């Protein structure tokens, strides 16, 4: 299975040895974020991407050992206490991606929803996200403004296939680094249009040049996705977001053989909400912080995550 689409040159490209290195040298510049993601896709059987909505959550995901980050639109919307219905602007999301890229080394897969409009908006978005330090984008085939995928009874309007192919081609034309990945997200299962429509769309998006296909499902069990993956005859790999069907373990994913990225779509924000609700309730119940204090990380741990030791060292060195 090809790791990246290379329309017109047979589909599969091996990665040149000179980019398969992390450390820069005089003759070999630091690999791009796109190349880094591509290397991970080549080196590991399955890339585990954790959702992040801030540089801090990105940093925690990196320390926990994930391979990549998912700059989730849902998480960022939730961070602003807003629904995930195209209310958070491109600038807000872009600045979050930029801030994360400045604080972590992991490749970032940016969730750019519908691309913020038509193919023209997509061109603008790709130029900015690549410059901001993203390694890849996911664009979904819904119309703008979109409605979040997992909501029961949500309005799920899809674009015509040709229109979305135009958006994929626009994205490819706008990237400067050929390793920057354009991932096409198929929402046909989410829209209730069935497997045949999902496969038709995925094939059309591969034909347009997409590097990977993200197939999304809100069914509570893995069957719908497993059936799609087994039926997929394309050459490019698949990405899944098993939020709705948590029984899809890594073992089960690997058994299917065609999935290269699993995205843990909203576990950073849900973990944060769980922790805050619990601690806030404890403080209210106790009328003080005496018990809650024992349940949460120390202030010193936050200092560590802020790199305060670096500040101290620099003070010693430079403040005279
Ligand atoms: C996101 O995390 O923003 C996603 C995944 O797009 S989902 O919310 O499941 O649609
Ligand atoms: Mg999203």
């Amino acid at each position: 299975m090809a790791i990246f689409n290379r329309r017109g040159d047979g589909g599969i490209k091996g990665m040149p040895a000179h980019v398969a290195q992390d450390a820069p040298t005089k003759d070999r510049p630091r690999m791009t974020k796109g190349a880094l993601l591509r290397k991970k896709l080549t080196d590991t059987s399955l890339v585990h991407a954790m959702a992040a909505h801030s540089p801090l959550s990105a940093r925690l995901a990196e320390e926990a050992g994930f391979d990549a980050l998912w700059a989730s639109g849902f998480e960022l919307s939730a961070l602003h206490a807003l629904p995930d219905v195209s209310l958070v602007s491109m600038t807000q999301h872009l600045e979050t991606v930029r801030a994360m890229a400045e604080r972590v080394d992991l490749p970032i897969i940016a969730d750019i929803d519908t691309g913020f409009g038509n193919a023209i908006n997509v061109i603008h978005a790709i130029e900015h996200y690549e410059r901001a330090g993203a390694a890849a984008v996911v664009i979904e085939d819904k119309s703008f403004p979109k409605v979040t995928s997992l909501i029961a009874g949500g309005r799920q309007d899809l674009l015509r296939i040709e229109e979305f192919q135009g958006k994929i081609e626009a994205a490819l034309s706008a990237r400067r680094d050929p390793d920057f990945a354009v991932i096409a997200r198929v929402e046909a299962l989410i829209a209730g249009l069935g497997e045949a429509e999902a496969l038709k769309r995925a094939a059309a998006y591969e034909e347009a040049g997409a590097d990977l296909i993200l197939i999304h499902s809100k069914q509570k069990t893995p069957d719908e996705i497993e059936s799609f993956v087994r039926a997929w005859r394309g050459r490019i790999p698949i990405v899944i977001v098993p939020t709705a069907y948590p029984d899809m373990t890594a073992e089960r994913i690997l058994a299917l053989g065609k999935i290269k990225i699993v995205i843990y779509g909203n576990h950073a924000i849900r973990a944060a909400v769980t922790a805050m609700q619990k601690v806030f309730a404890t403080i209210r119940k106790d009328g003080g912080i005496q018990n809650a204090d024992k349940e949460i990380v120390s202030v010193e741990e936050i200092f560590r995550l802020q790199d305060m030791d670096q500040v101290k060292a620099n003070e010693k060195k430079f403040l005279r």
Side-chain angles (χ1 to χ4, degrees):
M1 173 142 300
I3 295 302
F4 276 71
N5 206 342
R6 289 288 186 266
R7 197 168 54 153
D9 69 4
I12 300 177
K13 260 266 161 67
M15 191 167 57
H18 73 276
V19 292
Q21 320 246 357
D22 289 302
T25 66
K26 196 163 75 49
D27 306 320
R28 190 184 55 231
R30 180 178 290 282
M31 66 179 3
T32 63
K33 288 295 170 100
L36 180 61
L37 179 62
R38 187 172 164 188
K39 176 169 157 51
K40 284 175 184 257
L41 286 165
T42 309
D43 290 354
T44 55
S45 48
L46 182 63
V47 166
H48 296 258
M50 176 48 75
H53 52 266
S54 64
L56 181 64
S57 56
R59 195 149 189 199
L60 294 173
E62 185 168 63
E63 288 188 351
F66 288 96
D67 306 303
L69 296 169
W70 166 241
S72 159
F74 176 85
E75 288 220 346
L76 192 63
S77 301
L79 187 74
H80 288 269
L82 285 172
D84 182 20
V85 292
S86 300
L87 298 181
V88 167
S89 71
M90 181 186 115
T91 307
Q92 287 173 298
H93 188 260
L94 178 69
E95 287 315 312
T96 304
V97 167
R98 194 192 314 281
M100 294 195 309
E102 280 171 9
R103 293 298 282 163
V104 296
D105 293 326
L106 289 184
I108 299 171
I109 303 166
D111 172 15
I112 63 166
D113 288 357
T114 62
F116 310 101
N118 65 17
I120 306 306
N121 301 75
V122 168
I123 291 171
H124 180 73
I126 297 298
E127 288 169 356
H128 282 76
Y129 277 84
E130 189 178 344
R131 269 204 296 270
V137 291
V138 169
I139 316 179
E140 63 198 48
D141 59 354
K142 290 206 290 227
S143 61
F144 177 91
K146 55 73 83 57
V147 169
T148 194
S149 298
L150 299 183
I151 189 82
R155 175 186 62 80
Q156 302 294 342
D157 298 333
L158 303 197
L159 293 187
R160 286 175 298 106
I161 290 177
E162 300 71 30
E163 188 178 355
F164 194 63
Q165 283 181 313
K167 290 173 86 165
I168 295 168
E169 289 175 27
L172 298 171
S173 77
R175 68 181 173 190
R176 297 183 69 171
D177 173 11
D179 288 326
F180 181 88
V182 174
I183 303 173
R185 169 164 160 177
V186 177
E187 290 281 287
L189 300 178
I190 292 288
L193 300 179
E195 184 175 298
E197 179 68 17
L199 287 165
K200 183 169 122 190
R201 284 178 173 262
Y205 304 160
E206 176 178 33
E207 172 56 28
D211 294 303
L212 298 98
I213 293 293
L214 189 158
I215 179 71
H216 206 13
S217 165
K218 60 183 174 199
Q219 195 175 289
K220 299 276 179 269
T221 59
D223 329 357
E224 187 175 52
I225 286 294
E226 285 179 332
S227 172
F228 174 92
V229 174
R230 288 198 188 101
W232 172 240
R233 294 283 166 267
R235 291 170 307 148
I236 57 173
I238 293 174
V239 182
I240 61 164
V241 190
T243 310
Y245 49 101
D247 292 339
M248 188 69 144
T249 57
E251 198 182 1
R252 222 161 147 174
I253 293 171
L254 287 168
L256 289 166
K258 299 174 197 169
I259 299 171
K260 284 300 293 186
I261 304 179
V262 56
I263 292 173
Y264 304 111
N266 52 31
H267 296 75
I269 200 80
R270 285 166 64 197
V273 169
T274 306
M276 282 192 267
Q277 284 178 333
K278 188 159 174 267
V279 171
F280 295 174
T282 302
I283 295 171
R284 290 296 294 155
K285 178 166 70 62
D286 297 346
I289 58 174
Q290 63 277 22
N291 290 319
D293 215 52
K294 297 174 202 122
E295 293 176 20
I296 55 182
V297 298
S298 64
V299 179
E300 283 67 32
E301 171 63 356
I302 305 297
F303 289 156
R304 183 187 71 77
L305 291 163
Q306 293 172 310
D307 288 336
M308 267 310 290
D309 53 351
Q310 197 57 54
V311 174
K312 278 187 171 171
N314 283 338
E315 279 188 346
K316 223 180 235 163
K317 216 160 145 193
F318 301 119
L319 294 192
R320 295 173 198 162

PDB file of all heavy atoms in Angstrom, residues 101 112 148 180-181 221 287:
ATOM      1  N   ALA A 101       2.908  23.928  17.338  1.00  0.00           N
ATOM      2  CA  ALA A 101       4.120  23.575  16.576  1.00  0.00           C
ATOM      3  C   ALA A 101       5.364  24.221  17.183  1.00  0.00           C
ATOM      4  O   ALA A 101       6.473  23.699  17.051  1.00  0.00           O
ATOM      5  CB  ALA A 101       3.957  23.993  15.113  1.00  0.00           C
ATOM      6  N   ILE A 112      -8.915  20.794   9.253  1.00  0.00           N
ATOM      7  CA  ILE A 112      -9.376  22.095   8.715  1.00  0.00           C
ATOM      8  C   ILE A 112     -10.837  22.029   8.248  1.00  0.00           C
ATOM      9  O   ILE A 112     -11.275  22.821   7.405  1.00  0.00           O
ATOM     10  CB  ILE A 112      -8.444  22.662   7.620  1.00  0.00           C
ATOM     11  CG1 ILE A 112      -8.380  21.773   6.382  1.00  0.00           C
ATOM     12  CG2 ILE A 112      -7.050  22.912   8.173  1.00  0.00           C
ATOM     13  CD1 ILE A 112      -7.736  22.475   5.167  1.00  0.00           C
ATOM     14  N   THR A 148     -21.051  19.182  13.331  1.00  0.00           N
ATOM     15  CA  THR A 148     -20.219  18.149  13.938  1.00  0.00           C
ATOM     16  C   THR A 148     -20.753  16.748  13.626  1.00  0.00           C
ATOM     17  O   THR A 148     -21.982  16.536  13.596  1.00  0.00           O
ATOM     18  CB  THR A 148     -20.123  18.425  15.462  1.00  0.00           C
ATOM     19  OG1 THR A 148     -19.090  17.651  16.019  1.00  0.00           O
ATOM     20  CG2 THR A 148     -21.446  18.156  16.166  1.00  0.00           C
ATOM     21  N   PHE A 180       3.975  17.279   2.538  1.00  0.00           N
ATOM     22  CA  PHE A 180       2.830  17.785   3.316  1.00  0.00           C
ATOM     23  C   PHE A 180       1.599  17.001   2.843  1.00  0.00           C
ATOM     24  O   PHE A 180       1.280  16.997   1.665  1.00  0.00           O
ATOM     25  CB  PHE A 180       2.670  19.281   3.046  1.00  0.00           C
ATOM     26  CG  PHE A 180       1.556  19.940   3.801  1.00  0.00           C
ATOM     27  CD1 PHE A 180       1.775  20.452   5.071  1.00  0.00           C
ATOM     28  CD2 PHE A 180       0.289  20.062   3.236  1.00  0.00           C
ATOM     29  CE1 PHE A 180       0.749  21.073   5.768  1.00  0.00           C
ATOM     30  CE2 PHE A 180      -0.745  20.684   3.932  1.00  0.00           C
ATOM     31  CZ  PHE A 180      -0.506  21.190   5.203  1.00  0.00           C
ATOM     32  N   ALA A 181       0.938  16.306   3.781  1.00  0.00           N
ATOM     33  CA  ALA A 181      -0.109  15.367   3.362  1.00  0.00           C
ATOM     34  C   ALA A 181      -1.497  16.010   3.332  1.00  0.00           C
ATOM     35  O   ALA A 181      -1.871  16.745   4.243  1.00  0.00           O
ATOM     36  CB  ALA A 181      -0.130  14.169   4.299  1.00  0.00           C
ATOM     37  N   THR A 221     -20.374   0.281  16.947  1.00  0.00           N
ATOM     38  CA  THR A 221     -19.487  -0.889  16.852  1.00  0.00           C
ATOM     39  C   THR A 221     -18.592  -0.721  15.628  1.00  0.00           C
ATOM     40  O   THR A 221     -18.923   0.031  14.703  1.00  0.00           O
ATOM     41  CB  THR A 221     -20.313  -2.187  16.696  1.00  0.00           C
ATOM     42  OG1 THR A 221     -21.114  -2.061  15.517  1.00  0.00           O
ATOM     43  CG2 THR A 221     -21.199  -2.430  17.909  1.00  0.00           C
ATOM     44  N   GLY A 287     -15.656  23.115  50.734  1.00  0.00           N
ATOM     45  CA  GLY A 287     -15.560  24.519  51.106  1.00  0.00           C
ATOM     46  C   GLY A 287     -14.125  25.014  51.180  1.00  0.00           C
ATOM     47  O   GLY A 287     -13.812  25.970  51.902  1.00  0.00           O
TER      48      GLY A 287
END
